[in-house]
Amino acid sequence: MARLNVNPNRMELSKLKKNLIVAKRGHKLLKDKQDALIKAFLEKARKVKEQREAIEEELRRCYESFMLARAQTLPAMLEQALMVPGAICRVSVSHRNVMSVVVPEYGVNQEGKSLNYGFATTLGSLDVSLERFSTIMPKLIELAAEEKAIALMSTEIEKTRRRVNALEHVLIPATIETIKYITMKLEEQERSALSRIMKIKDIVRSH
């Protein structure tokens, strides 16, 4: 096991012992944070998976409805109906803290009408299709925010995992090994000093 590059003296020994206490405390806190993050991540991932599946099914119905409307509408009439924009979708962004991870929250505000054309020239199937697309838009934006949150939480979990591993497998063992080394060196110095003192005493007594 690699040791830290420090001078083997009592001051360094005292400092290392304090550092070891701090490192062990930090390791526990980071490990607890990692476990809590993983739990929150898995719970959110399950919910977002269900949310995505529901939205994908809704999108599938939207496209089916639009394909039906397109098949029933003359191309020129369809182009004219879709030429003028309808509702304007404004997105605001705020942030919240989830387990020390700052994640985005998107607020959606739709202004105007989703259908901005004369109903007399279009079929009802097109109206239904466009209304469905208008309804699903806020859900898509909300899903984007949730999936961004999952990505950020995943990144934070990986960063925390690396820090936990660095403490657990590198810093703490190296500190322990260095403390043992310095302690051994100091004990050797004490034994050597005691041995010299005993020899001096023997010399003094012999004279």
Side-chain angles (χ1 to χ4, degrees):
M1 176 64 65
R3 294 194 306 265
L4 301 175
N5 186 21
V6 295
N7 293 323
N9 54 53
R10 294 191 181 280
M11 186 180 294
E12 287 294 345
L13 181 62
S14 176
K15 189 188 298 182
L16 284 171
K17 286 180 177 179
K18 291 176 183 176
N19 289 348
L20 181 60
I21 292 170
V22 173
K24 286 183 174 179
R25 189 181 298 133
H27 174 266
K28 185 182 183 307
L29 290 172
L30 283 171
K31 191 74 170 63
D32 290 345
K33 176 187 174 180
Q34 176 184 279
D35 294 343
L37 266 172
I38 291 172
K39 183 181 177 183
F41 173 84
L42 292 174
E43 287 176 359
K44 183 174 280 292
R46 279 193 292 270
K47 290 178 182 177
V48 172
K49 181 176 179 291
E50 293 171 2
Q51 187 179 359
R52 169 172 271 281
E53 288 172 351
I55 289 176
E56 284 177 348
E57 176 59 26
E58 197 171 339
L59 265 176
R60 185 187 64 78
R61 291 196 298 269
C62 285
Y63 280 113
E64 283 181 353
S65 175
F66 182 73
M67 294 299 288
L68 176 63
R70 191 175 71 172
Q72 294 173 340
T73 309
L74 292 173
M77 191 180 296
L78 180 64
E79 184 179 348
Q80 185 178 1
L82 299 178
M83 189 177 297
V84 181
I88 297 173
C89 187
R90 300 188 187 279
V91 180
S92 60
V93 183
S94 59
H95 296 85
R96 60 191 171 95
N97 193 302
V98 178
M99 299 298 302
S100 75
V101 181
V102 178
V103 301
E105 276 192 333
Y106 301 147
V108 184
N109 181 32
Q110 286 186 321
E111 301 173 355
K113 297 178 180 179
S114 58
L115 307 180
N116 198 18
Y117 53 78
F119 298 117
T121 59
T122 58
L123 297 172
S125 56
L126 180 61
D127 304 341
V128 171
S129 172
L130 295 180
E131 282 284 7
R132 282 180 173 173
F133 275 113
S134 176
T135 302
I136 202 173
M137 186 58 66
K139 297 178 184 178
L140 285 170
I141 294 171
E142 181 185 348
L143 177 63
E146 292 297 319
E147 291 190 337
K148 180 63 176 177
I150 286 178
L152 291 170
M153 289 174 74
S154 175
T155 301
E156 186 65 23
I157 288 170
E158 181 58 26
K159 283 167 56 180
T160 306
R161 185 189 65 80
R162 286 198 297 267
R163 292 170 68 189
V164 167
N165 287 344
L167 284 169
E168 185 174 336
H169 300 296
V170 180
L171 183 60
I172 290 175
T175 303
I176 291 172
E177 189 67 22
T178 307
I179 288 172
K180 288 179 181 177
Y181 170 74
I182 293 177
T183 302
M184 182 184 69
K185 281 289 185 183
L186 291 175
E187 287 174 351
E188 285 179 359
Q189 290 172 9
E190 286 177 1
R191 284 195 296 269
S192 178
L194 183 60
S195 177
R196 286 196 299 272
I197 290 170
M198 295 301 293
K199 284 181 181 179
I200 292 170
K201 282 184 177 180
D202 290 340
I203 293 170
V204 170
R205 286 172 184 169
S206 64
H207 286 78

